[in-house]
Amino acid sequence: MTAGTIVLLLSLLLGLQPITTDLYLPALPALTSSFGAPMAQAQLTLTALLLAFGVSQLVWGPLSDRFGRKPILLTGLGAYVLAGVGSTLAPSMMALIVWRAVQGAAMGAAVMCARAIVRDLYAPTQGARVMSKALSGLGVIALLSAPLGGLLTEVFNWRAAMLVLALFGALCLGLIASRFEETLQQQNPKAMQITTLLATWKLILRHPTFLAFSALSAASYGGLFTFLATSSFVFMNVLGLSKTGYGALMALNSLVYVAGTFLCRHWLPRFGVRRAVKWAGMLSLAGGTLMAVPSLMGVQNIWAILPAQLLFMMGHGVHQPCGQSGAVGPFPQAAGAASAMNGFLMMLVAFAMGSWLGTHMDGSVKPLTLGVWFWTAWIALSAWTLVQKYGEPTLCRNQTA
């Protein structure tokens, strides 16, 4: 595979995550009304997807170390397409929640394999640069997702947005089947044995570099998830923004994220991973603070939130490529298991936050603003302490799987 093909495929695989979440965010209020369901159940269509996404990676990761990346990608993408069709035809909110959980589990195979492929092919520092390129592609997909979702919901209904997800999954499936070449150099026949698996997870969870970068990526994703889970209700129901306006706002959010990935590639050769993350931590904390303080003073308008959110997204564009590649870096022979554990921890944070938000949406902007502020504090703490101390990538020589 050429370098361009690798980046394209990685962008599509990683892009499954934002398109699966962002495309239907403008449809959430309409979806809730369509089924006559409470807001908490609508939130479950997102939190169930993300919980299944996180847990499934713990299975997909060792499977990919055992059988290779391509068989797992084909299986996962096939299931994703099926779940997309099921979501489109769902007759009730409960059926939709079930199909979205299946879709999340299938999505786990694609995203986990993408992170593992980066470690299969590149050393940690180069991997961060390649990951930032792939996440630029992810940002473009995210940029288009919310406006497209808003347009589809406005012109047709929420089911049209779900159908587009099935079509996107089918595109990814076709490209992986025809263009992807296996990147795992040596399969591990013991990767799925329970004793081997437990020993591998123990080794990964005790490695300080993995913990440092996982803390960073999980906190950064926690902030993003808080915004995604609350933004459609806050901006449309509380602040009165139209579906089209909300889609444009989300597109701007994604555009700044893409700019952040470019900033990451600019900083990495000049400052290295640790200093890049350190500077990005300042952007994140500044954004969270500038967002929270006006809301605590009773200010509720778009311009009190949006500029601060864009600062957060700029930092997010640095933290995610550095955090995801840095967490997997010490484990070249267990990249699937390490990628899976990193993804699981991110989704565990998202599920916990989603569960809290489901009972604390109070008709104000505070669940969004204070939630993001909370996570930016953890981002800064991780970036300025753990990553500075343990962020130098070193190989783990005693890998079990």
Side-chain angles (χ1 to χ4, degrees), residues 110-296:
V111 176
M112 179 284 305
C113 280
R115 291 193 297 260
I117 288 165
V118 172
R119 188 61 190 93
D120 290 342
L121 298 175
Y122 304 103
T125 301
Q126 177 64 12
R129 289 196 286 269
V130 172
M131 181 66 82
S132 72
K133 291 180 181 179
L135 290 177
S136 295
L138 174 151
V140 172
I141 293 171
L143 187 154
L144 299 173
S145 294
L148 178 60
L151 180 63
L152 289 170
T153 305
E154 199 80 57
V155 176
F156 301 103
N157 54 40
W158 63 268
R159 295 184 189 274
M162 294 299 180
L163 180 59
V164 168
L165 296 182
L167 296 175
F168 184 82
L171 171 65
C172 294
L173 179 61
L175 287 174
I176 290 296
S178 61
R179 302 295 299 276
F180 180 72
E181 299 173 12
E182 182 59 62
T183 59
L184 182 64
Q185 297 300 311
Q186 184 175 358
Q187 297 177 6
N188 185 348
K190 298 181 179 180
M192 290 302 296
Q193 294 179 3
I194 294 299
T195 53
T196 301
L197 197 53
L198 292 176
T200 301
W201 285 341
K202 180 180 178 181
L203 186 68
I204 291 169
L205 288 170
R206 293 178 63 182
H207 199 288
T209 301
F210 173 84
L211 294 175
F213 282 113
S214 290
L216 177 69
S217 59
S220 189
Y221 190 79
L224 176 65
F225 175 82
T226 301
F227 181 79
L228 294 178
T230 59
S231 59
S232 61
F233 294 100
V234 167
F235 285 107
M236 288 193 282
N237 291 0
V238 178
L239 302 180
L241 202 61
S242 67
K243 291 185 179 70
T244 304
Y246 174 70
L249 182 149
M250 293 299 288
L252 178 61
N253 200 56
S254 300
L255 185 62
V256 173
Y257 171 71
V258 173
T261 64
F262 278 90
L263 180 64
C264 179
R265 294 202 293 280
H266 176 73
W267 278 354
L268 282 174
R270 290 165 176 78
F271 302 138
V273 172
R274 287 183 292 180
R275 287 183 66 194
V277 164
K278 180 179 178 181
W279 289 111
M282 296 180 185
L283 291 175
S284 302
L285 186 58
T289 303
L290 290 173
M291 185 185 299
V293 170
S295 70
L296 289 172

Side-chain angles (χ1 to χ4, degrees), residues 28-42 92-94 97:
L28 270 178
L31 185 155
T32 305
S33 300
S34 172
F35 286 125
M39 187 187 302
Q41 281 196 353
S92 66
M93 180 66 83
M94 189 54 62
I97 291 170

Side-chain angles (χ1 to χ4, degrees), residues 299-316:
V299 177
Q300 288 202 150
N301 65 66
I302 293 171
W303 298 109
I305 297 175
L306 184 57
Q309 170 63 19
L310 298 182
L311 272 180
F312 168 80
M313 289 306 294
M314 184 70 73
H316 188 67

Side-chain angles (χ1 to χ4, degrees), residues 41-54:
Q41 281 196 353
Q43 290 282 355
L44 268 179
T45 63
L46 184 59
T47 52
L49 177 137
L50 291 174
L51 180 63
F53 173 54

Side-chain angles (χ1 to χ4, degrees), residues 351-361 366-367 370-371:
F351 180 76
M353 193 64 190
S355 300
W356 184 84
L357 288 170
T359 58
H360 287 78
M361 295 293 288
K366 286 183 180 179
L370 300 184

